[in-house]
Every structure is written in structure tokens, then in C-alpha cells.
Amino acid sequence: MKIRITGVVASVACLLGAQATPTDTPVVAQGKPAAVIVTTGNPSPVVRYAVQELVHHLPKATGAKVPVVSEDTEPKGTLIYVGASKATLAAGIDPAKFEPEAFTIKTEGETLFIAGDDDPAADPLIMETRAGTLWGVYEWIEQSLKVRWLWPGELGTWIPKSPTVTMGTLNQTTPPRFVQR
């Protein structure tokens, strides 16, 4: 009797483990875009640059160009929200309450949120600019695409190739380890 119950429990566990999970949600599937990058209608310079970095690295890793749309278009499907937006606030992510340059990377179903504490109008390439969203995008690129920046420039950037990239199951808020990054 004990052996049968153990066998049933093991069978049920295997079946449950075979179900799709958020880690299975593709951003790119077999070299084709499976998600859309979403920003506010008027993103800050930091968010625009963060999106540029994401759009630059995804095709180098996967061969796919992931489209970028405004949240005003009411996008559907698999979405990657970059920067503060109505959707991030609805998901309980309020970058205005973050420490300087902190960011959150969070998945909910088929949606990935990357948002951080940003200067609303400052140049993202100036050292004093708070760029939490940009740091969040870099973190996701490192975790999900496995990109490594060994030194500045293309020669120092290692981007492994993979035709499929998934969102991952993420829920992290990361403050900077130092006062200035």
C-alpha cells in the first residue's frame, strides 16, 4: 500500500513539473520575436537608452529584432515593460519609492517588468545621472542572454548565440552596492 501511494505521488509530481512555467515564456523563439518591448508614450532619455541597449543586444544574441511599442497602443501578448509606466504601477512597482539607482526585474505571467529610479530628463551617459532602469536592463541582459562586458567596446563584449531566450522567473529589487555606480 505504501509503495502504491509513493508511486502515485511521484507520478503526480512529474505531471505537475511538465506544465509550462513563467521560465518557459519566450522573448525570442527559434530566432523569431515572441515578445514586444513596451515603454510609456514619452520615455525619459534613460529609458530610451535602456531600450536601445536591449534592442542592440537581443539580435546579436538571437538574430531576432524585437519590436518596440508605446503602452498607449494597448499591446497584447508577451510584453517587456521598460521603465516606469501605468503597467508597472499596476504591478506594484513604483520606482519613485526606490533608493537612488535601484531597479526591479519582475515577471508576472507573460509579462516582464524592468524599472528603476531614473532622472526624468538627464543624459544617461553622464556619471551623475540616476539610471536604475538602465542598470536593470543590463542585469537582465547578463542573466538571460549571458552577455559579458569584459572591457569597453565591441571587442570586449562577449555575446553567446542562442535562437531561443526566455524571460525567466524573476522578482528582484536591487539597490546599488555603492553610493555611485
Side-chain angles (χ1 to χ4, degrees), residues 146 150 157 163 179:
K146 308 296 186 221
L150 306 173
T157 304
V179 174

PDB file of all heavy atoms in Angstrom, residues 146 150 157 163 179:
ATOM      1  N   LYS A 146      23.214  36.019 -21.094  1.00  0.00           N
ATOM      2  CA  LYS A 146      24.565  35.592 -20.688  1.00  0.00           C
ATOM      3  C   LYS A 146      25.662  36.455 -21.317  1.00  0.00           C
ATOM      4  O   LYS A 146      26.788  36.005 -21.509  1.00  0.00           O
ATOM      5  CB  LYS A 146      24.822  34.112 -21.030  1.00  0.00           C
ATOM      6  CG  LYS A 146      23.767  33.161 -20.532  1.00  0.00           C
ATOM      7  CD  LYS A 146      23.705  33.136 -19.038  1.00  0.00           C
ATOM      8  CE  LYS A 146      22.743  32.060 -18.568  1.00  0.00           C
ATOM      9  NZ  LYS A 146      21.915  32.459 -17.474  1.00  0.00           N
ATOM     10  N   LEU A 150      33.671  42.540 -20.928  1.00  0.00           N
ATOM     11  CA  LEU A 150      34.997  42.340 -20.356  1.00  0.00           C
ATOM     12  C   LEU A 150      35.782  43.649 -20.310  1.00  0.00           C
ATOM     13  O   LEU A 150      36.565  43.877 -19.402  1.00  0.00           O
ATOM     14  CB  LEU A 150      35.747  41.281 -21.151  1.00  0.00           C
ATOM     15  CG  LEU A 150      34.979  39.956 -21.293  1.00  0.00           C
ATOM     16  CD1 LEU A 150      35.698  39.023 -22.239  1.00  0.00           C
ATOM     17  CD2 LEU A 150      34.775  39.315 -19.938  1.00  0.00           C
ATOM     18  N   THR A 157      33.093  42.768 -25.667  1.00  0.00           N
ATOM     19  CA  THR A 157      31.739  42.283 -25.381  1.00  0.00           C
ATOM     20  C   THR A 157      31.594  40.869 -25.911  1.00  0.00           C
ATOM     21  O   THR A 157      31.805  40.611 -27.092  1.00  0.00           O
ATOM     22  CB  THR A 157      30.689  43.198 -26.044  1.00  0.00           C
ATOM     23  OG1 THR A 157      30.895  44.532 -25.597  1.00  0.00           O
ATOM     24  CG2 THR A 157      29.280  42.759 -25.681  1.00  0.00           C
ATOM     25  N   PRO A 163      19.154  30.743 -30.303  1.00  0.00           N
ATOM     26  CA  PRO A 163      17.962  31.096 -31.068  1.00  0.00           C
ATOM     27  C   PRO A 163      16.720  31.308 -30.201  1.00  0.00           C
ATOM     28  O   PRO A 163      15.749  31.890 -30.650  1.00  0.00           O
ATOM     29  CB  PRO A 163      17.777  29.907 -32.005  1.00  0.00           C
ATOM     30  CG  PRO A 163      18.404  28.768 -31.280  1.00  0.00           C
ATOM     31  CD  PRO A 163      19.552  29.360 -30.509  1.00  0.00           C
ATOM     32  N   VAL A 179      27.536  54.033  -3.309  1.00  0.00           N
ATOM     33  CA  VAL A 179      26.789  55.275  -3.471  1.00  0.00           C
ATOM     34  C   VAL A 179      26.729  55.667  -4.931  1.00  0.00           C
ATOM     35  O   VAL A 179      25.713  56.126  -5.427  1.00  0.00           O
ATOM     36  CB  VAL A 179      27.438  56.407  -2.618  1.00  0.00           C
ATOM     37  CG1 VAL A 179      26.754  57.727  -2.886  1.00  0.00           C
ATOM     38  CG2 VAL A 179      27.373  56.039  -1.149  1.00  0.00           C
TER      39      VAL A 179
END
